[in-house]
Amino acid sequence: QVQLVESGGGLVQAGGSLRLSCAASGSIFSINSMGWDRQAPGKQRELVALTTSGGNTNYADSVQGRFTISRDNAKNTVNLQMNSLKPEDTAVYYCRADGLTGPLTPFGSWGQGTQVTVSS
């Protein structure tokens, strides 16, 4: 099993910044992608940012230019630097990862979530 533990999050005023961190542990053979989803009240969960082991990154249009994802492959960690935060960024943010726990055994995991609240 692969566990993801998030840290960071909290309450910030609009225009402020927060940094989320996530560490993966457990039976990890390799990790392909790591990233972040979010879910606001009454809305569907959406992908915020994703990075692959090869260094490719993808961002939701709504956060492009404001959020930056970074990853340490050696430590199996991923961070999300969130700048110029807006009230509409308020949501529970979930770390996500997928890869292999063995040569032929895939996994996909999500963290427990961390609350980000942006006040206007």
Side-chain angles (χ1 to χ4, degrees):
Q1 302 298 325
V2 176
Q3 296 80 40
L4 302 178
V5 178
E6 301 124 335
S7 60
L11 174 64
V12 66
Q13 289 187 333
S17 299
L18 284 174
R19 183 179 178 86
L20 305 182
S21 297
C22 174
S25 62
S27 302
I28 299 171
F29 181 77
S30 64
I31 297 179
N32 177 30
S33 68
M34 296 188 79
W36 297 87
D37 292 346
R38 69 185 180 186
Q39 187 165 20
K43 296 187 177 180
Q44 289 188 331
R45 186 177 293 196
E46 63 174 348
L47 175 66
V48 176
L50 193 70
T51 179
T52 68
S53 57
N56 294 318
T57 58
N58 287 298
Y59 295 93
D61 290 343
S62 59
V63 307
Q64 184 77 44
R66 300 187 296 120
F67 291 11
T68 303
I69 190 169
S70 60
R71 176 176 170 177
D72 186 327
N73 290 329
K75 296 181 178 179
N76 292 329
T77 59
V78 64
N79 299 308
L80 185 68
Q81 179 65 42
M82 305 184 293
N83 299 328
S84 301
L85 283 161
K86 303 176 181 180
E88 51 263 43
D89 294 316
T90 296
V92 178
Y93 284 70
Y94 298 90
C95 180
R96 59 182 292 172
D98 65 82
L100 300 173
T101 59
L104 298 175
T105 309
F107 79 88
S109 295
W110 278 262
Q112 292 295 313
T114 184
Q115 177 70 46
V116 171
T117 303
V118 184
S119 63
S120 58

